[in-house]
Amino acid sequence: MNIAIVFFSATGNTRTMARIIRDHFTTLSAKADLHDVTTQAARQKGVDLSAYDAAVFGSPVHSLRAPQLMRDWLATLDGNGMRCAMFFTFGGFMVHPAHHSTAEILKRRGFTVVASAEFPGKHTYNLGGWRAFPDRPDDRERDLAARYAKAAYNRFAGNDPGVLSYLPQGPFSEAELTHFESFRFKMVGKLPTRDGAECSLCGLCEEICPSGAMNHAAGIADPHACIACLGCVAACPEDALVINSTRESWQPKLSMSNTTEAELNAQTGKIYL
């Protein structure tokens, strides 16, 4: 069986899980290929799914959904009845309705969605001072990925004829969810910048930017294009890019979510079948 694992991963959590899931598929005698569609160039090039028997789509959760760039790209695919699965990485706070939202896109494009999963991973805002899942993913996620890969494989192969059933839709309308995406720019009020500091101008930040927002020569992100994924900050080999401190919002965020740092970081992932 040939499986395409297609993922969007700005800061590496989803990429890590994609590789782990790929390795588990391999132990099940499947051939699994990784396709990273994080950058504009990769999404424009696309992925030829006709060479595969099944697909897995991976994404981080941004403001309760997959990033807008990923949602838009998924909406260009043709499923032609192909069985697929999903997985998401999240930073400790609300996950839903990311599963439901993405499944609906895939079903509209002709895919049959058979499984989904969620895996804890370092929160993007840890780069500014949060302390959400600082050491995740870890062995808990690796063990869960093994169970997920086996369940998805059995459904891809027809050993288990089931398909994904109920996924929580959540109480919010599409308009409200779209509005929530703007909250990212309240937490990250100072978008990635060098603040005038010098660097070697390697250009990596511009090369990997998912939205084409980063200008490496100017050392600042275009506020009209930046999605505040902070991939450039995480990847900069010289730690030259900075954002505002997010420390001040950490405790209020925990209080708003009615949780503690210890409770938040004790969370584990989940499989949906």
Side-chain angles (χ1 to χ4, degrees), residues 164-186:
L164 191 58
S165 53
Y166 173 73
L167 288 171
Q169 185 171 359
F172 307 112
S173 68
E174 287 296 306
E176 288 173 319
L177 290 168
T178 298
H179 177 62
F180 294 158
E181 289 181 325
S182 67
F183 291 175
R184 299 178 65 79
F185 302 96
K186 293 184 179 180

Side-chain angles (χ1 to χ4, degrees), residues 40 205-206 209-216 220-227:
Q40 282 185 319
C205 56
E206 185 172 326
C209 179
S211 64
M214 177 53 70
N215 182 322
H216 82 280
I220 192 167
D222 178 354
H224 301 293
C226 182
I227 63 170

Side-chain angles (χ1 to χ4, degrees), residues 59-76:
S59 170
V61 176
H62 286 189
S63 305
L64 309 186
R65 292 185 292 185
Q68 180 72 60
L69 296 175
M70 184 61 167
R71 301 198 309 271
D72 290 345
W73 185 79
L74 290 174
T76 69

Side-chain angles (χ1 to χ4, degrees), residues 2-4 48-57 78-85 106 109-114 156:
N2 293 333
I3 303 171
D48 182 6
L49 293 177
S50 66
Y52 296 96
D53 303 303
V56 176
F57 297 102
D78 290 318
N80 296 313
M82 175 181 280
R83 288 193 162 224
C84 75
L106 292 170
R109 299 309 302 170
F111 290 91
T112 300
V113 186
V114 301
F156 290 159

Side-chain angles (χ1 to χ4, degrees), residues 231-254:
C232 57
V233 180
C236 178
E238 301 170 61
D239 295 327
L241 292 169
V242 296
I243 59 168
N244 58 284
S245 171
T246 57
R247 293 183 183 88
E248 296 77 10
S249 61
W250 176 235
Q251 288 301 329
K253 178 65 173 177
L254 291 171

Side-chain angles (χ1 to χ4, degrees), residues 107-182:
K107 287 189 285 187
R108 286 196 296 269
R109 299 309 302 170
F111 290 91
T112 300
V113 186
V114 301
S116 195
E118 60 198 44
F119 301 98
K122 303 176 189 67
H123 200 291
T124 301
Y125 296 165
N126 289 4
L127 292 166
W130 279 19
R131 298 187 297 275
F133 294 150
D135 301 313
R136 308 284 283 276
D138 63 14
D139 286 345
R140 285 168 287 187
E141 283 68 67
R142 292 181 183 90
D143 290 344
L144 184 65
R147 299 196 299 274
Y148 166 72
K150 183 176 181 180
Y153 177 84
N154 282 332
R155 289 197 164 178
F156 290 159
N159 302 327
D160 175 354
V163 297
L164 191 58
S165 53
Y166 173 73
L167 288 171
Q169 185 171 359
F172 307 112
S173 68
E174 287 296 306
E176 288 173 319
L177 290 168
T178 298
H179 177 62
F180 294 158
E181 289 181 325
S182 67

